[in-house]
Amino acid sequence: MEIIGANHPLADIWAKVQREERLTFEDGVRLMNSNDLASLGYMANYVREKKHGAKTFFNTNRHINPTNICQTLCDFCAFGVRMKDPKAYTMTMEEIEHRIDMITPDATEVHIVGGNNPSLKLEYYEDILRAVKRKRPDLHIKAFTGVEIDHFTRVNKLSVAEVLDRLIDAGLESMPGGGAEIFAEEPRSIICDHKTTAERWLEVHEYVHKRGLRTNCTMLYNHVETTEHRIDHMMRLRDLQDRTGGFQTFIPLSWHPDNTELIKKYPHLGWSTGYDDLRVIAVARLFFDNIDHIKTYWMQVGEAVAQTALWFGADDLDGNVVEEKIYHAAGSKNSQGMTKLDLVRLIREAGRQPVERDTLYNVVNTEFPETAVEINASNDVEELTVL
Ligand code: V47
């Protein structure tokens, strides 16, 4: 049955999708303004299945957030605090090492990000990377957003090249996609006025790609941005990807309002809907003809939306996470960690095929037991409640 017939308002875009023709800015805006979620999902799922069939990727990972002290203090964020705030923390090397010791043997990745703490020199971060590599040389280190790299250049009076040389030497292997937020000047100046500029974020990632490392990219939505701002953001990422090919996955992140300055200033804003979350995923899959993977971050959208997103263009769920702080500071009610078999169950229950990957999307495992029991036992996680 043809869902999108010749008279459908999106028929011309559907024809382009089938011909694998690049979508324009205007196409993106029309898709993002469409309320016909079923048709968006149908088209996005067509692309998703053409690229990946039923495969759904996840990894076995852990997060470490070494400090929440942040001099940037973005209005949208509830994680970063001032140095004198009672909630302020900076992990000692012993605390970091303890967290590394707690990482289960089957993990393949550690994801390290934190606040822009002006009192920490680059040596602190080099020590973290070296501690991971000393204790767990098998773990891939995905660490530091483009914003943190920019912050390190200013605090240490070094160039991006010098910072990267030192971090790579200490063990850095790839970078997550955070810090991009929304590139357009108008909403960016409202939600994160003092942050690294859009141009600088893109410049850092371009440099990292040219240095041979892969990174991810994100977009923060559901705040003060317009449809045009969303597509402008995606367009700038797509242009950079044309030049470097260094992005592995795009991760749309819906803004969580609790405990943020932004919700105090704009009380009419609120939580995203599953409806919009699915629309953004679907438009991303259709718009990014040059990024292989679209990730739905289960910890952020919740399990039910994440499962549905696997039919709306997403082919990746992220990983176990564990000890997530950024979204939980902003009111996330989702669990802070899932076992490997929980993820497998989630994917299978959605009618998709689970594939455990490493950070660079090499396949680690495709065979999993039928029940959660045995994995739960071997994957016990300490400190799930630490916030
Ligand atoms: O940069 C912060 C966002 C990002 C809030 O690359 C918020 O694999 C919503 O980038 N509401 C960090 N969002 C998380 C991130 C990420 C997560 C998982 C995987 C990967 C990857 C990257 O979270 C920040 C910001 O955009 N964020 N505060 C908030 N209140």
Side-chain angles (χ1 to χ4, degrees), residues 63 76-79 109 111 113 142 145 175-181 195 216-220 249 251 253-258 260 295 297 300 318 324 326-327 330 357:
H63 280 215
F76 73 82
C77 179
F79 170 69
E109 171 190 287
H111 177 146
V113 289
K142 180 178 82 177
T145 65
M175 274 169 52
E181 319 317 355
K195 202 169 196 141
N216 295 333
C217 54
T218 57
M219 174 177 78
L220 189 70
T249 180
I251 313 149
L253 299 168
S254 75
W255 176 59
H256 285 27
D258 289 8
T260 67
K295 186 188 285 188
Y297 188 25
Q300 189 247 335
D318 201 68
E324 197 285 333
I326 297 171
Y327 282 95
R357 61 161 175 89

Side-chain angles (χ1 to χ4, degrees), residues 89-336:
Y89 74 83
T90 297
M91 292 181 189
T92 63
M93 213 41 68
E94 288 69 39
E95 286 169 321
I96 298 274
E97 290 188 0
H98 173 67
R99 277 166 174 78
I100 302 168
D101 290 338
M102 294 310 302
I103 299 177
T104 50
D106 61 341
T108 58
E109 171 190 287
V110 59
H111 177 146
I112 307 171
V113 289
N116 290 338
N117 185 334
S119 64
L120 297 174
K121 293 285 189 221
L122 199 59
E123 287 74 16
Y124 173 79
Y125 296 97
E126 290 175 301
D127 288 348
I128 294 177
L129 302 182
R130 291 214 160 89
V132 173
K133 284 294 166 191
R134 191 172 61 248
K135 286 180 169 283
R136 288 291 302 272
D138 57 310
L139 284 179
H140 176 109
I141 305 181
K142 180 178 82 177
F144 313 127
T145 65
V147 169
E148 286 172 276
I149 299 289
D150 181 39
H151 169 78
F152 298 156
T153 65
R154 279 181 278 110
V155 170
N156 299 279
K157 300 194 174 26
L158 295 169
S159 66
V160 173
E162 288 166 328
V163 166
L164 277 171
D165 279 347
R166 283 178 51 179
L167 294 177
I168 291 170
D169 191 53
L172 180 71
E173 288 163 294
S174 70
M175 274 169 52
E181 319 317 355
I182 194 86
F183 291 144
E185 180 53 29
E186 203 187 337
R188 195 175 186 85
S189 66
I190 294 173
I191 69 164
C192 53
D193 199 13
H194 307 295
K195 202 169 196 141
T196 299
T197 63
E199 292 69 28
R200 179 69 165 165
W201 189 95
L202 290 161
E203 184 190 319
V204 170
H205 279 258
E206 179 154 11
Y207 183 82
V208 174
H209 294 170
K210 289 185 173 156
R211 190 79 171 61
L213 267 57
R214 308 299 301 274
T215 75
N216 295 333
C217 54
T218 57
M219 174 177 78
L220 189 70
Y221 66 96
N222 178 51
H223 42 85
V224 297
E225 87 288 0
T226 63
T227 299
E228 285 75 13
H229 294 145
R230 291 180 181 185
I231 304 301
D232 164 76
H233 186 96
M234 293 191 197
M235 193 107 174
R236 295 201 214 187
L237 292 171
R238 195 175 72 177
D239 287 348
L240 174 54
Q241 181 73 343
D242 277 344
R243 295 200 295 280
T244 65
F247 290 128
Q248 302 201 102
T249 180
F250 173 73
I251 313 149
L253 299 168
S254 75
W255 176 59
H256 285 27
D258 289 8
N259 310 314
T260 67
E261 287 303 307
L262 195 61
I263 196 69
K264 290 184 199 152
K265 292 183 187 165
Y266 296 86
H268 66 284
L269 298 174
W271 289 79
S272 176
T273 58
Y275 185 88
D276 200 31
D277 294 336
L278 293 174
R279 174 163 49 192
V280 175
I281 288 275
V283 176
R285 182 59 289 166
L286 292 166
F287 199 76
F288 285 117
D289 54 3
N290 57 2
I291 298 184
D292 284 342
H293 302 280
I294 303 293
K295 186 188 285 188
T296 180
Y297 188 25
W298 69 263
M299 207 282 315
Q300 189 247 335
V301 292
E303 296 179 27
V305 172
Q307 283 179 309
T308 317
L310 301 182
W311 292 89
F312 280 74
D315 63 279
D316 191 301
L317 277 179
D318 201 68
N320 317 63
V321 190
V322 181
E323 218 197 53
E324 197 285 333
K325 292 175 192 289
I326 297 171
Y327 282 95
H328 287 82
S332 172
K333 304 283 181 291
N334 299 316
S335 114
Q336 270 187 304

